[in-house]
Amino acid sequence: MRSDVLNSNSKSYALSNDDGVFKYTSYRATITVADGATTGKESAIAMPDNFVPIAVALTVVTASTNAVNFQDVGSDANPDGYVDGAAIAVNSAGFKGVIPCNGELGVGNPTAGAVIGSPDEVECTISGDPGSDTVLQFDIIGFECTLN
């Protein structure tokens, strides 16, 4: 059955990369959580102050030797601001999926809404000692907003 018959009010729109107010963009943060640590951060990209995250694609580049889970990712000032409370095993390498942003800084937060913060580093948290240096890659998908 055709979708326009199911919902005659539906429309399709092309996603523009930049309409002057919202600019779709993504950032890649590669973070090492050292053996014995539960957090790691990177400072190479410095997320801009007007970035609102929508989703995060997680890839484990170098797996942990212990059975631990990825839990949170966000800014240095708000380490669970993008994704809060995930439970994704990082003891095997490979793509782990796309996670919607439910943290305070993301559009998926139903109580506070997206909060536009200050430029900052990206930080992540795992559930325990990884047993070895563990490298996680975060492709953070969102938009920059010039309304602030």
Side-chain angles (χ1 to χ4, degrees), residues 29-47:
T30 302
I31 299 175
T32 299
V33 179
D35 182 14
T38 58
T39 63
K41 68 175 105 176
E42 69 79 50
S43 58
I45 60 173
M47 300 300 282

Side-chain angles (χ1 to χ4, degrees), residues 50-61:
N50 59 348
F51 182 74
V52 181
I54 298 170
V56 175
L58 171 62
T59 302
V60 176
V61 178

Side-chain angles (χ1 to χ4, degrees), residues 45-53 74-78 82 105 115-122 148:
I45 60 173
M47 300 300 282
D49 65 349
N50 59 348
F51 182 74
V52 181
S75 66
D76 189 31
N78 190 342
Y82 301 165
L105 302 175
V115 176
I116 298 174
S118 299
D120 208 347
E121 303 168 325
V122 178
N148 56 343

Side-chain angles (χ1 to χ4, degrees), residues 31-35 58-69 88-96 126 129-137:
I31 299 175
T32 299
V33 179
D35 182 14
L58 171 62
T59 302
V60 176
V61 178
T62 305
S64 66
T65 54
N66 292 341
V68 294
N69 292 330
I88 299 172
V90 295
N91 60 342
S92 65
F95 177 67
K96 300 302 176 179
I126 61 174
D129 176 2
S132 60
D133 286 357
T134 301
V135 181
L136 306 177
Q137 177 181 290

